[in-house]
Structures are given as structure tokens and as C-alpha cells.
Amino acid sequence: MGSTTDKIKGLANEAAGNVKQAAGKAFNKPDLEAEGAAQELKGEAQQALGKGKDAVKKAVDKV
């Protein structure tokens, strides 16, 4: 995957995770809330991966 794709998927996972967490809190469903937290972390990791790919590409382009 490209860096842009990783960042977009990361944002989507973060957003979905936040929605799940809110729904879990609203409906008193700790499992859904935990699932949302995990999905949010996955999204953050995907974004970091995308940013890392950008940094590597910029470094390689300078050489």
C-alpha cells in the first residue's frame, strides 16, 4: 500500500473506532467500547506507517 492509502485507511479506522466507543458507552456495552478503542489504535498505527513511508521516500529522493 502507498503512504496515502495507509493514512486514509488509518483515518477511517480511527473514525469508526470513535463511533464504536461512543456507542459502547451510550448503550453500556463494554465489548463494543473496547473494540472501538482497538480499532482506533489500529488507525493510529496505520497513519504512523503512512507517515513513515513518506519520510523514507523523502530521504531516498534527496539521495
Side-chain angles (χ1 to χ4, degrees):
M1 268 188 274
S3 63
T4 303
T5 304
D6 287 328
K7 289 188 257 183
I8 291 170
K9 285 187 176 188
L11 283 172
N13 272 319
E14 272 193 76
N18 284 326
V19 170
K20 285 182 182 179
Q21 286 181 66
K25 286 179 185 177
F27 296 109
N28 195 27
K29 298 199 177 237
D31 291 346
L32 184 60
E33 192 174 342
E35 183 181 329
Q39 189 167 3
E40 182 181 3
L41 288 174
K42 178 183 175 183
E44 290 172 4
Q46 283 176 313
Q47 284 191 62
L49 178 64
K51 290 176 183 177
K53 285 181 180 180
D54 280 343
V56 168
K57 185 177 182 325
K58 286 178 185 176
V60 169
D61 288 345
K62 287 184 181 180
V63 174

